[in-house]
Amino acid sequence: MQSMEFPLVLFTVLSQAAIGLTLMRAVRTTSGGEEAAGRTEWLLIAGLMVAGLLGSLFHLGHPLSAPMALTHLGTAWLSREVLFAGLFMGVAALAVAAGNVAGKPALAWLGTALGLGVILSAGMTYAPPALPALNNALPAAFFLTSAVLLGAGFGSWFADEGLRPLMVRIFTGAVVVGLVLYLVAPCVWLSGGEVMRMTGQAWLASGFYWAHLGVLAVALAVAWMTRDIPAWLPVLVLIGELVGRAGFFADTVHTAANMGGLY
């Protein structure tokens, strides 16, 4: 891609944080967790999604024509991503507006299902043949890991004492998975074709990449030592995911790179 695509960085990371938070809400309410803060949590979910959607508009040459993205649902994963994102936003808005249903597990699970549709569609959108390193399941894996990591982190703000250990375990597991994915993927790319190898080299030479790994390492160390998720840690992780996603867009090499020249 080789451009930072800041609007897409905002949309993908903030929407995945909202989806992950909804998933954690579903898990906790199903487990009999505290429901008193349900509306407040849904407000954060809706706020993250609105911010992501607004940010994505700056990626468009004609923002007022954004609804036209729905015209190719049968053939384009981007259209499906937009549809699922809109439906997810509708569920979040319903939960905020109708506070009496905010704590219901069914609403959170419905939002989770739609959110997973967003993640799958986004994973397919950013896995085209023109990006050999990502023409596989890796984008969806990266995005799902971010959703779970951010969801568990911010979900700890709302979890009662009995369920905080569950949030810590999920958070720690997601950090470990993220570290493994991001450490292994560029090394595998180095043994691939020319464009894939160039992607691996670009990631390993990128400040975005190493800053992201540094944040994940700090998050793992803090969660391991404290057996908790301090209130500031999800914010740090959110910044790390934004930085890492900027590298995802800026450092992944397109097959058009060096067009007309010799590899």
Side-chain angles (χ1 to χ4, degrees):
M1 292 175 229
Q2 297 190 269
S3 62
M4 192 168 67
E5 300 292 352
F6 188 64
L8 297 182
V9 170
L10 285 179
F11 170 69
T12 56
V13 173
L14 295 183
S15 65
Q16 286 153 27
I19 292 163
L21 195 49
T22 305
L23 171 60
M24 294 303 115
R25 173 95 197 140
V27 169
R28 294 198 326 275
T29 53
T30 302
S31 303
E34 179 62 56
E35 297 184 0
R39 191 167 186 272
T40 303
E41 189 169 11
W42 278 110
L43 276 169
L44 178 57
I45 291 168
L48 287 167
M49 198 66 188
V50 167
L53 289 169
L54 288 176
S56 70
L57 294 179
F58 290 94
H59 178 68
L60 304 177
H62 302 281
L64 295 179
S65 299
M68 295 299 293
L70 293 170
T71 57
H72 299 288
L73 290 172
T75 56
W77 282 103
L78 177 60
S79 293
R80 297 162 190 163
E81 180 185 3
V82 172
L83 175 63
F84 279 118
L87 292 173
F88 177 87
M89 184 66 243
V91 169
L94 173 63
V96 171
N100 61 320
V101 300
K104 303 299 183 183
L107 193 64
W109 282 116
L110 174 59
T112 297
L114 294 170
L116 291 176
V118 177
I119 290 174
L120 174 61
S121 300
M124 295 299 293
T125 298
Y126 297 113
L131 298 173
L134 300 180
N135 184 218
N136 45 52
L138 273 177
F142 289 151
F143 297 165
L144 182 59
T145 302
S146 293
V148 175
L149 176 61
L150 294 168
F154 286 110
S156 69
W157 289 2
F158 304 96
D160 62 18
E161 287 303 314
L163 290 175
R164 282 189 69 84
L166 175 61
M167 293 295 99
V168 175
R169 289 195 297 273
I170 294 173
F171 179 85
T172 304
V175 173
V176 171
V177 170
L179 282 168
V180 171
L181 278 175
Y182 284 101
L183 284 169
V184 170
C187 297
V188 171
W189 294 337
L190 291 177
S191 63
E194 186 64 24
V195 176
M196 191 179 290
R197 182 180 61 80
M198 291 170 65
T199 298
Q201 292 173 336
W203 277 49
L204 292 172
S206 171
F208 290 129
Y209 174 78
W210 291 108
H212 183 209
L213 284 183
V215 170
L216 290 177
V218 168
L220 180 61
V222 170
W224 181 264
M225 290 188 295
T226 65
R227 296 295 191 271
D228 197 10
I229 305 173
W232 56 267
L233 189 56
V235 178
L236 176 64
V237 171
L238 175 62
I239 294 170
E241 291 303 298
L242 289 168
V243 170
R245 193 59 49 79
F248 173 90
F249 286 108
D251 299 323
T252 302
V253 180
H254 192 281
T255 52
N258 202 33
M259 182 175 288
L262 297 175
Y263 282 112

